[in-house]
């Protein structure tokens, strides 16, 4: 019996497509990608990162050709093989820190240095999650990479995961950025539960003006002290403070604006899609991913609570009272966590302005998380 010519042509056409290569894991990941797009576009949760991550994940779960392959046999590698080198070679996270430093005013921290303790207290969330992850069976390297989610610092999470647990990079990055986006939902209930109405109404003294010289000296001192104590954090702290010096020197305006805009924007696109391209169904759809997502919530909750409780403890021995709400800004989600402190403070007292006060622990959290990441690298990496 002769084969049907039409059927043979259809089979030939189907064979030329990638349809036979679609797996059930890919189909499930399409739904997850749709959820990420929804959070980013319609709910506006960290869209600058979640949109590139989601699109990279979409590409990762399509039967692409010539996109991620390494070079070989005289053939060049795929586009994302080379773009992803920015993560593999640890270039993108420090460049993000360059932009963050150029965008950040360290004045509130310098004006009220005791808020450094609030940024330090938030790191309890990192270490508590590290212990929890080890109890769940993760190795110390994996637990350290997971625990850093509690610092609410996406670039640092990616930097540490790439060094200590590259096979967990995708779920750690997605958890870090997703929960950063959910800070306005996660933090307020914890803040209200751990403070009284009277405490939320505390009005703090106005911050003193901070001179340009003080800011430049601060950047230099932090660079020297942190690198001497935790040399593994050199790339992150060095680029953070370089960006801040560009901002505060007032003689490198073009460079500061480039770091604040073109550099950080381009790197954000490349970093996000590089993370997303690792989110294949085979890597992402497993029990470890669910554990990481659960531990991420715990990390955020403990970090928030520790900052608030530290502020309350400081009030027991301080004449100048601290509104405990700013303790929650000790996580390094800049400036979102500080804005949450401001919003919660104005719910209790519409005339209370906490934003600048909250920026102190907020930027302290950025430094603190980078230091903790350096500690984990020195202790467990390699």
């Amino acid at each position: 019996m002769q084969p049907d010519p039409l059927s043979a042509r259809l089979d030939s056409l189907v064979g030329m497509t990638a349809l036979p290569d679609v797996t059930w894991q890919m189909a499930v990941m399409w739904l997850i990608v749709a959820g990420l797009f929804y959070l980013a576009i319609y709910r506006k949760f960290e869209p600058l990162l979640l949109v590139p991550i989601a699109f990279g994940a979409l590409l990762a779960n399509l039967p692409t050709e010539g996109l991620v392959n390494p070079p070989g046999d005289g053939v060049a590698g795929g586009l994302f093989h080379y773009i992803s080198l920015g993560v593999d070679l640890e270039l993108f996270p420090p460049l993000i820190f360059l932009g963050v430093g150029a965008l950040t005013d360290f004045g509130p921290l310098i004006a009220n240095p005791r808020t450094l303790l609030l940024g330090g207290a938030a790191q309890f969330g990192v270490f508590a999650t590290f212990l929890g992850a080890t109890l769940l069976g993760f190795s110390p390297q994996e637990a350290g990479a997971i625990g850093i989610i509690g610092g609410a610092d996406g670039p640092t999470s990616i930097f540490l995961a790439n060094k200590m647990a590259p096979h967990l990079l995708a779920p750690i990055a997605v958890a870090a950025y997703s929960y950063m986006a959910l800070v306005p939902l996660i933090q307020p209930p914890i803040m209200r539960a751990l403070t009284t109405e009277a405490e939320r109404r505390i009005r703090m003294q106005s911050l003193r003006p901070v001179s340009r010289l003080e800011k430049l000296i601060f950047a230099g001192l932090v660079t020297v002290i942190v690198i001497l104590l935790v040399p593994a954090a050199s790339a992150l702290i060095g680029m953070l403070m370089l960006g801040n010096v560009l901002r505060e020197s007032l003689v490198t305006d073009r460079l500061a604006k480039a770091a604040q805009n073109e550099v950080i924007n381009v790197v954000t696109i490349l970093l996000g899609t590089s993370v997303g391209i690792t989110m294949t169904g085979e890597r992402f759809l497993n029990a470890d991913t669910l554990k990481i997502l659960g531990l991420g919530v715990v990390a955020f909750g403990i970090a928030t609570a520790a900052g608030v409780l530290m502020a309350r403890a400081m009030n027991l021995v301080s004449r100048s009272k601290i509104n405990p709400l700013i303790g929650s800004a000790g996580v390094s989600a800049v400036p979102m966590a500080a804005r949450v402190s401001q919003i919660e403070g104005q719910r209790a007292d519409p005339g209370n302005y906490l934003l600048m006060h909250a920026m102190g622990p907020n930027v302290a959290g950025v430094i603190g998380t980078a230091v903790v990441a350096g500690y984990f690298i020195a202790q467990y990496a390699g």
Side-chain angles (χ1 to χ4, degrees), residues 284-318:
F284 201 79
L285 298 176
N286 55 58
D288 283 348
T289 297
L290 295 177
K291 291 178 184 177
I292 290 169
L293 293 174
L295 287 166
V297 173
V298 172
F300 261 78
I302 294 175
T304 300
V308 173
L309 292 175
M310 174 60 81
R312 295 188 66 180
M314 290 170 66
N315 281 341
L316 297 177
V317 295
S318 174

Side-chain angles (χ1 to χ4, degrees), residues 84-231:
S84 296
L85 290 177
V87 176
D88 297 339
L89 300 178
E90 299 164 7
L91 302 177
F92 291 160
L95 289 175
I96 293 285
F97 262 55
L98 174 69
V100 171
L103 287 164
T104 303
D105 180 8
F106 288 113
L109 176 60
I110 299 169
N112 192 3
R114 59 181 177 161
T115 57
L116 188 66
L117 296 175
L118 302 180
Q123 307 312 313
F124 280 112
V126 175
F127 288 103
T129 308
F130 170 79
L131 295 175
T134 56
L135 292 176
L136 288 176
F138 290 100
S139 69
Q141 292 81 8
E142 293 170 333
I146 294 167
I148 208 71
I149 295 172
D153 190 331
T156 303
S157 297
I158 292 170
F159 184 81
L160 192 59
N162 186 64
K163 270 189 173 295
M164 297 176 60
H167 58 290
L168 297 180
L169 176 62
I172 288 173
V174 170
Y177 280 108
S178 296
Y179 293 138
M180 281 173 62
L182 293 173
V183 159
L185 300 179
I186 295 174
Q187 286 196 323
I190 299 171
M191 297 160 69
R192 289 193 290 267
L194 296 178
T195 56
T196 66
E197 185 75 17
E199 286 175 324
R200 293 195 289 274
R201 290 177 178 168
I202 292 175
R203 293 194 175 191
M204 298 178 64
Q205 296 177 357
S206 298
L207 295 173
R208 67 173 181 83
V210 176
S211 69
R212 177 176 58 151
L213 179 60
E214 286 180 279
K215 293 178 182 180
L216 292 172
I217 291 174
F218 176 81
L221 283 176
V222 170
T223 303
V224 172
I225 292 171
V226 171
I227 291 177
L228 287 177
L229 295 178
V230 193

Side-chain angles (χ1 to χ4, degrees), residues 60 66 116 122 182 252 263 271 294 360:
L116 188 66
L182 293 173
T252 53
V263 172
L271 175 63

Side-chain angles (χ1 to χ4, degrees), residues 240-303:
L240 177 72
M241 293 305 165
L242 170 60
N244 196 250
V245 169
L246 293 177
R247 169 197 173 96
E248 301 299 348
S249 67
L250 302 183
V251 294
T252 53
D253 190 52
R254 286 172 54 193
L255 301 182
K257 288 182 177 178
Q260 293 169 357
N261 296 287
E262 292 85 1
V263 172
I264 198 170
N265 289 338
V266 171
V267 174
T268 296
I269 295 171
L270 300 180
L271 175 63
T273 50
S274 297
V275 169
I277 209 75
T278 67
M279 290 175 60
T280 59
E282 293 78 9
R283 287 185 180 181
F284 201 79
L285 298 176
N286 55 58
D288 283 348
T289 297
L290 295 177
K291 291 178 184 177
I292 290 169
L293 293 174
L295 287 166
V297 173
V298 172
F300 261 78
I302 294 175

